[in-house]
Amino acid sequence: MSALDTVTRAGQTPDVQQPWADLGLKQDEYERIVAILGRRPTSAELAMYSVMWSEHCSYKSSKVHLKRFGDLPSETPPGKTLAGIGENAGVIDIGRGWAVTFKVESHNHPSYVEPYRGAATGIGGIVRDIMAMGARPIAVMDPLRFGAIDHPDTARVLPGVVKGIGGYGNSLGLPNIGGEIVFDDCYRGNPLVNALCVGSLRHEDLHTANATGAGNKIVLFGAKTGGDGIGGVSILASETFDEGGPAKRPAVRVGDPFAEKVLIECCLDLYAAGVVEGIRDLGGAGLSCATSELASAGDGGMSIELDLVPLRDSTLSPEEILMSESQERMMAVVAPDKLDAFLAITGRWDVEAAVLGEVTEGDRLVVTRHGETIVDVPPRSVAHDGPVYERPIARPEWLDAVQADSSDSLPRPADPGADLPALLASPNICDKSRVTNQYDRYVLGNTKRAMPHDSGVVRVDEESGLGVALSTDCNGRFGRLDPYAGAQLALAESYRNVATSGALPLAVTDCLNFGSPEDPAVMWQFQQAIGGLFDACLELGIPVTGGNVSFYNQTGETAIHPTPVVGVLGVIDDVSTAVSSGFGAKGEIVLLLGETRDELDGGEWAHALHGHLGGQPPTVDLAAEKALADFFVDAVRRGVLTSSHDLSDGGLAVTLAESVMTGGTGASVDLSPVLQRDGVDAFTALYSESTARAPVTVRSEADPATVVGIAETHGVPIARLGSTDGDRLKVKDVLDLTIEDLRAAHTGTMRQYFG
């Protein structure tokens, strides 16, 4: 066995060459570590700093922009934000003593290298973030983006990702209630695998990640530590792929959903027993992250004996133990007088637990191995006081030409309805049930709405029916045309999806997927997206409670479209009142809310049928979005709506087709009221992607008058389109197709490419 690189040895051997560059550090970063410590780091310290100062963990290129979110209001109608940015996940008061915690994160690069494991451990990691807040996980969602549907690598990546998400989530017994599947050539080589989890808890059960109280014990519990995922966040998640794929291929973490299921129940028992003072999951950066962040957020230091870490592989070096990202592990701070009770509970669940050390009076994180000190650092310097970069920012030179190339030059068909079947069959609009049917949407019995509805709706309180609605959305093409507006459009659509169910939108989590931060054009896109989100949340009066930044989604010089995935959570008083997105009964009145403008740039018609991307994205009208949400909350509480469906990708034509296919009832529609009021032609009325719009249905002749009155109260434009009947979608003088015709176009695409 080689001699340990101890703190004493490091002080005596200042000229030892260290592999800082191989660990993802820059020379000036290494020199800063030397300055902090007053000596060269030991190899174990270097390992800790390298993972914790990585882009993935430290947010060193995004901190200066993300701090704006701290200025958003933290108060929501039901109450205050109970935990926000900086914690494992945001926590929102939803009333009646209940809170929910939710967060979305990325697992992009690992899912390209090993699709099954990468996606599975993405689900596992986000679930543990929710567990660490004291909550029971109640649902997951998965916003996904892949390269072109017909590209060979998509055929490799997508099936593995889907199996990983389904295999892990289904085994945990968590319903998958929503997400997206988007295909675009820009994601070839850089698929986006984002994962969201939501959990519920009583206010008094909230836990946070800090190590306080000198003498309190540090307990590692869960799976043993192995060699998987070593360096994942510092190397795999924080570098740009070259044209041939990733330059370095460290092992992707290996997940065991059954071990995580036991860990969930064990944690909930520990919380109920009141034996946990602080807690953190071990995900990216493993022990390096858990120890440094717990100590940094506490009121003292920490001492750890690395020999006490339960190992799957006894040959692991200290550096590997500290960097390992083995799954299904948690770290708790436990008072000495509660340690026996803690260990009794972990023993009852057959969860291995080891006391590694304790909270100390000092301000140092000290790690020993074989009785020798191998780490002696200020924990804040590792966890929170890493590099902060103000990267160069430059508006891309190509943007003017792209914005000038509008969709006006594209040929519009003489028969406006003729394009609908092809649009329904296009990769981004086609039926995704061949994927979503692999996910259990209704396990636990609390799911009210899931795919293909606009948002997932899940019950929190079984007695009152109190629940939440969630949606994730983003159109990366809008982000490429205008990243400021693109981010706001992502928020607006997710906000609208939540509102159409009848839920009041309360809070935002985001997963900001971009190219290399070392590219000034990418950083301009990022800055613009942050500004767009901040301004929109400020106007809507909702907080950003947390999320994730994923940089380096880039192959060579080619970055993905700016893709700020925005998740919105809303509260609904009783999930039984949530509205379906399908036309479910005959003889109901169809109404259209909102105004239609000639806005096809960046939309699905231009993209799917013409391969075009240029012009300006649809206008963002946040006041109209808020008015629409207020309308839905009011109308659903009064029980006057039988269906509602967000109008977005593909415009009104696609929305009507989806409504008749989902509900199984046809509709007869006359566009004349919209054409006359809004001054658009039939083609524009069908395919425009103007925002703040939704078709709704009501039961009787009496209800339309009530709905019109509610719309007028909230200042929402409303027009009568027609009624539901039969088994066809008929738009007067424009199209006439059976529901089966629509389904035939809609359902064949995924089968064609993925069997």
Side-chain angles (χ1 to χ4, degrees), residues 77-138:
K80 291 184 177 180
T81 301
L82 303 179
I85 295 171
E87 289 292 343
N88 284 298
V91 182
I92 295 291
D93 181 359
I94 63 168
R96 303 179 196 172
W98 284 99
V100 289
T101 175
F102 76 125
K103 186 181 181 183
V104 61
E105 283 199 338
S106 64
H107 228 226
N108 301 339
H109 284 51
S111 298
Y112 175 67
V113 175
E114 294 188 41
Y116 181 91
R117 287 182 178 177
T121 53
I123 292 289
I126 195 66
V127 168
R128 287 194 303 280
D129 279 339
I130 297 308
M131 290 162 51
M133 300 308 298
R136 174 180 285 281
I138 58 174

Side-chain angles (χ1 to χ4, degrees), residues 66 159 188 210 212 389 618 674 731 735:
L66 296 174
R188 174 163 52 93
N210 61 77
T212 59
Y389 293 142
V674 175
V731 179
L735 67 85

Side-chain angles (χ1 to χ4, degrees), residues 251-494:
V252 175
R253 294 178 264 173
V254 180
D256 180 350
F258 300 105
E260 181 131 331
K261 174 61 176 172
V262 172
L263 194 59
I264 291 172
E265 302 303 329
C266 179
C267 282
L268 291 170
D269 271 5
L270 292 169
Y271 300 147
V275 295
V276 174
E277 304 298 319
I279 193 164
R280 200 184 191 306
D281 77 300
L282 276 77
L287 278 168
S288 296
C289 179
T291 54
S292 63
E293 289 200 350
L294 281 168
S296 180
D299 56 9
M302 184 184 292
S303 64
I304 296 292
E305 294 183 56
L306 214 57
D307 306 272
L308 301 177
V309 175
L311 300 177
R312 292 203 311 265
D313 179 356
S314 61
T315 68
L316 292 180
S317 68
E319 298 80 16
E320 290 171 329
I321 296 170
L322 289 168
M323 294 174 77
S324 170
E325 295 178 14
S326 292
Q327 295 287 283
E328 292 88 39
R329 297 181 298 164
M330 305 286 285
M331 180 169 280
V333 182
V334 183
D337 61 346
K338 296 179 180 177
L339 181 61
D340 287 345
F342 183 102
L343 296 176
I345 292 170
T346 56
R348 186 165 69 246
W349 283 102
D350 199 23
V351 169
E352 186 161 4
V355 179
L356 302 188
E358 63 183 28
V359 180
T360 60
E361 292 281 3
D363 60 356
R364 309 287 288 186
L365 170 59
V366 177
V367 180
T368 63
R369 173 77 159 172
H370 303 325
E372 301 273 7
T373 300
I374 59 171
V375 171
D376 185 351
V377 298
R380 280 202 65 85
S381 72
V382 179
H384 293 108
D385 294 338
V388 178
Y389 293 142
E390 295 195 34
R391 301 279 193 185
I393 292 172
R395 186 177 185 273
E397 296 178 358
W398 48 259
L399 187 56
D400 286 339
V402 170
Q403 290 182 340
D405 179 23
S406 79
S407 60
D408 292 344
S409 61
L410 301 178
R412 299 189 178 188
D415 177 5
D419 282 348
L420 179 56
L423 199 53
L424 289 175
S426 64
N428 291 338
I429 292 181
C430 72
D431 173 57
K432 305 300 195 306
S433 62
R434 294 183 72 81
V435 168
T436 58
N437 284 347
Q438 297 181 51
Y439 308 148
D440 194 331
R441 288 168 280 177
Y442 296 97
V443 65
L444 299 181
N446 285 317
T447 303
K448 176 63 177 178
R449 292 276 179 258
M451 301 80 75
H453 297 282
D454 288 346
S455 57
V457 179
V458 61
R459 180 170 49 216
V460 170
D461 181 11
E462 295 189 15
E463 290 186 8
S464 67
L466 179 70
V468 293
L470 293 115
S471 174
T472 63
D473 273 293
C474 182
N475 182 331
R477 297 188 306 277
F478 291 160
R480 181 168 174 83
L481 297 180
D482 183 339
Y484 179 94
Q488 293 194 333
L489 287 162
L491 170 59
E493 185 176 352
S494 199

